[in-house]
Amino acid sequence: MTRALLIIVVLLAASFLTLGRPLIRSDGLAYFMWLQSVARDHDLDLANQAAQFGELNSYQVFYNEATGEYATVFPYGSAFLYLPSYWLASAANRLPLLHINDPYFVQHQGAPFAYSFFLLLWTILCAL
Protein backbone atom coordinates (compact mmCIF):
# COMPACT_ATOMS: atom_id res chain seq x y z
CA MET A 1 0.00 0.00 0.00
CA THR A 2 2.80 2.45 0.89
CA ARG A 3 4.62 1.67 -2.33
CA ALA A 4 1.46 2.18 -4.41
CA LEU A 5 0.80 5.51 -2.69
CA LEU A 6 4.38 6.62 -3.34
CA ILE A 7 4.07 5.68 -7.02
CA ILE A 8 0.82 7.67 -7.29
CA VAL A 9 2.39 10.73 -5.63
CA VAL A 10 5.45 10.56 -7.89
CA LEU A 11 3.29 10.22 -11.02
CA LEU A 12 1.08 13.11 -9.93
CA ALA A 13 4.07 15.31 -9.11
CA ALA A 14 5.71 14.48 -12.44
CA SER A 15 2.54 15.27 -14.39
CA PHE A 16 1.95 18.52 -12.49
CA LEU A 17 5.53 19.65 -13.02
CA THR A 18 5.59 18.78 -16.72
CA LEU A 19 2.11 20.05 -17.54
CA GLY A 20 2.03 23.04 -15.18
CA ARG A 21 2.63 26.46 -16.65
CA PRO A 22 4.16 29.03 -14.31
CA LEU A 23 2.17 32.02 -15.49
CA ILE A 24 -0.41 33.88 -13.43
CA ARG A 25 -3.41 34.60 -15.62
CA SER A 26 -7.19 34.94 -15.69
CA ASP A 27 -8.85 34.52 -12.27
CA GLY A 28 -5.44 33.74 -10.79
CA LEU A 29 -4.49 37.37 -11.30
CA ALA A 30 -7.20 38.46 -8.85
CA TYR A 31 -5.94 35.98 -6.26
CA PHE A 32 -2.38 37.16 -6.84
CA MET A 33 -3.51 40.76 -6.30
CA TRP A 34 -4.94 39.75 -2.93
CA LEU A 35 -1.77 37.85 -2.11
CA GLN A 36 0.42 40.79 -2.96
CA SER A 37 -1.78 43.15 -0.97
CA VAL A 38 -1.56 40.93 2.12
CA ALA A 39 2.09 39.88 1.80
CA ARG A 40 3.68 43.09 0.58
CA ASP A 41 1.33 45.91 1.60
CA HIS A 42 0.04 44.23 4.79
CA ASP A 43 -3.53 45.35 4.06
CA LEU A 44 -6.65 44.42 2.13
CA ASP A 45 -6.71 47.57 0.01
CA LEU A 46 -6.45 46.75 -3.69
CA ALA A 47 -5.72 50.31 -4.87
CA ASN A 48 -1.98 49.64 -5.27
CA GLN A 49 -2.65 46.46 -7.17
CA ALA A 50 -5.22 48.13 -9.43
CA ALA A 51 -2.54 50.64 -10.39
CA GLN A 52 0.24 48.07 -10.79
CA PHE A 53 -1.80 45.58 -12.80
CA GLY A 54 -3.82 48.19 -14.72
CA GLU A 55 -3.11 46.90 -18.22
CA LEU A 56 -3.58 43.26 -17.21
CA ASN A 57 -6.72 43.84 -15.16
CA SER A 58 -9.68 43.24 -17.44
CA TYR A 59 -12.29 42.12 -14.90
CA GLN A 60 -10.49 41.05 -11.75
CA VAL A 61 -10.61 44.34 -9.77
CA PHE A 62 -12.95 47.29 -10.25
CA TYR A 63 -13.54 50.64 -8.63
CA ASN A 64 -16.71 50.67 -6.51
CA GLU A 65 -18.12 54.20 -6.61
CA ALA A 66 -20.51 53.51 -3.72
CA THR A 67 -17.64 52.77 -1.31
CA GLY A 68 -14.88 54.74 -3.02
CA GLU A 69 -12.60 51.69 -2.91
CA TYR A 70 -11.39 48.99 -5.26
CA ALA A 71 -13.24 45.71 -5.00
CA THR A 72 -13.33 42.25 -6.51
CA VAL A 73 -15.70 39.31 -6.52
CA PHE A 74 -12.81 36.97 -5.69
CA PRO A 75 -12.37 36.07 -1.99
CA TYR A 76 -9.14 36.96 -0.20
CA GLY A 77 -8.78 33.75 1.82
CA SER A 78 -6.38 32.06 -0.55
CA ALA A 79 -3.93 34.92 -0.04
CA PHE A 80 -3.26 33.63 3.46
CA LEU A 81 -2.83 30.07 2.19
CA TYR A 82 -0.22 31.23 -0.35
CA LEU A 83 1.78 33.51 1.98
CA PRO A 84 4.68 31.05 2.40
CA SER A 85 5.09 30.74 -1.37
CA TYR A 86 5.14 34.52 -1.75
CA TRP A 87 7.80 34.87 0.94
CA LEU A 88 9.89 32.16 -0.72
CA ALA A 89 9.48 33.83 -4.09
CA SER A 90 10.52 37.19 -2.66
CA ALA A 91 13.69 35.64 -1.25
CA ALA A 92 14.38 33.61 -4.41
CA ASN A 93 13.81 36.65 -6.62
CA ARG A 94 17.11 38.01 -5.28
CA LEU A 95 18.96 35.13 -6.96
CA PRO A 96 20.15 35.75 -10.53
CA LEU A 97 19.39 32.10 -11.36
CA LEU A 98 15.63 32.72 -11.12
CA HIS A 99 15.50 35.74 -13.41
CA ILE A 100 14.27 33.79 -16.40
CA ASN A 101 12.80 36.01 -19.12
CA ASP A 102 11.52 38.51 -16.55
CA PRO A 103 10.29 41.06 -19.14
CA TYR A 104 7.92 38.43 -20.55
CA PHE A 105 6.56 37.49 -17.13
CA VAL A 106 6.20 41.10 -15.98
CA GLN A 107 4.36 41.93 -19.20
CA HIS A 108 1.93 39.01 -18.85
CA GLN A 109 1.49 38.72 -15.09
CA GLY A 110 2.90 41.90 -13.55
CA ALA A 111 5.63 40.11 -11.56
CA PRO A 112 8.93 38.34 -12.31
CA PHE A 113 9.18 34.59 -12.99
CA ALA A 114 10.06 33.61 -9.40
CA TYR A 115 6.62 34.58 -8.13
CA SER A 116 4.65 32.41 -10.53
CA PHE A 117 7.17 29.57 -10.23
CA PHE A 118 6.84 29.36 -6.44
CA LEU A 119 3.07 29.75 -6.65
CA LEU A 120 3.02 26.81 -9.07
CA LEU A 121 5.14 24.69 -6.75
CA TRP A 122 2.97 25.59 -3.76
CA THR A 123 -0.17 24.72 -5.71
CA ILE A 124 1.31 21.34 -6.63
CA LEU A 125 2.24 20.71 -3.00
CA CYS A 126 -1.28 21.60 -1.87
CA ALA A 127 -2.81 19.38 -4.56
CA LEU A 128 -0.68 16.45 -3.48
Side-chain angles (χ1 to χ4, degrees):
M1 170 110 167
T2 305
R3 184 174 180 208
L5 185 59
L6 180 63
I7 290 171
I8 290 170
V9 168
V10 167
L11 288 174
L12 282 172
S15 67
F16 288 154
L17 288 170
T18 57
L19 299 175
R21 181 176 168 200
L23 186 64
I24 301 165
R25 58 198 183 278
S26 190
D27 295 356
L29 185 62
Y31 295 113
F32 185 67
M33 288 182 193
W34 276 126
L35 175 59
Q36 199 175 59
S37 183
V38 170
R40 191 183 67 191
D41 302 340
H42 309 289
D43 63 25
L44 293 175
D45 181 7
L46 295 171
N48 295 345
Q49 285 67 37
Q52 178 185 349
F53 297 99
E55 292 182 18
L56 300 173
N57 179 24
S58 56
Y59 64 89
Q60 294 87 350
V61 173
F62 58 91
Y63 184 74
N64 185 339
E65 291 184 16
T67 63
E69 296 180 2
Y70 285 89
T72 183
V73 297
F74 298 92
Y76 59 83
S78 64
F80 296 99
L81 177 67
Y82 279 93
L83 274 174
S85 69
Y86 190 90
W87 293 330
L88 286 170
S90 294
N93 193 42
R94 295 183 185 121
L95 302 172
L97 176 69
L98 284 173
H99 286 276
I100 300 168
N101 202 5
D102 278 345
Y104 171 83
F105 285 94
V106 170
Q107 177 186 2
H108 292 303
Q109 69 184 20
F113 168 77
Y115 290 92
S116 56
F117 178 70
F118 278 90
L119 285 171
L120 174 66
L121 292 179
W122 191 260
T123 300
I124 291 168
L125 180 65
C126 289
L128 290 174

